[in-house]
Amino acid sequence: MPGKNWSKIKEALPPPCVIAQLLTVIALFLFTVLAFAGATDDTDRTFNRGNSAEPVTLDLHRSEDVATGNILRDLFEGLTTEDRDGSIIPGSAESWDIGADGMS
C-alpha cells in the first residue's frame, strides 16, 4: 500500500522547523563565504556613495539641488577641515608633517 510507505517516510523526516533552521544556517554560511570571496586588497576598492539622485551638474556655480551639492561637497573637500570645536582635522589628507621652521 502506498499510503503505508509514505507514513513511514514521513515519520523518519525531521520536523519542518528543523529543516527551516538548517536551511537558514546553510544560507547564512553561503552568504558569508560569497561575501568574503570577492574581497580584495585596499588598493582595488571603490567607494560608492549613496545619493538620492544623479547630480545635475558638476559646475559649482550652476548647482541648485541637494544631490549635486552632496557630490560637490565630497569632490571639493580640502586637505584639512574643521571639527565642531574648530580644531583642524584631516579632510582628504591622511596626515601631515610640520617642518622645523614651522612654515612648511
Side-chain angles (χ1 to χ4, degrees):
M1 297 179 95
K4 198 181 235 186
N5 290 336
W6 176 248
S7 64
K8 288 181 183 179
I9 293 172
K10 197 173 179 184
E11 288 174 6
L13 291 175
C17 63
V18 173
I19 294 173
Q21 290 172 348
L22 181 63
L23 288 175
T24 303
V25 169
I26 291 171
L28 287 173
F29 174 75
L30 288 175
F31 174 76
T32 304
V33 168
L34 293 175
F36 288 109
T40 60
D41 60 358
D42 289 339
T43 59
D44 293 338
R45 292 188 184 190
T46 301
F47 176 71
N48 294 313
R49 185 188 199 286
N51 205 27
S52 60
E54 289 294 315
V56 177
T57 181
L58 293 180
D59 184 353
L60 287 170
H61 305 290
R62 300 186 73 189
S63 68
E64 298 176 352
D65 61 317
V66 174
T68 302
N70 291 338
I71 298 296
L72 289 174
R73 187 174 47 254
D74 290 344
L75 185 63
F76 292 106
E77 179 179 21
L79 292 174
T80 61
T81 188
E82 296 178 0
D83 66 3
R84 62 182 170 179
D85 300 327
S87 302
I88 302 295
I89 59 172
S92 58
E94 292 181 5
S95 64
W96 61 85
D97 294 322
I98 299 174
D101 60 359
M103 309 263 311
S104 59

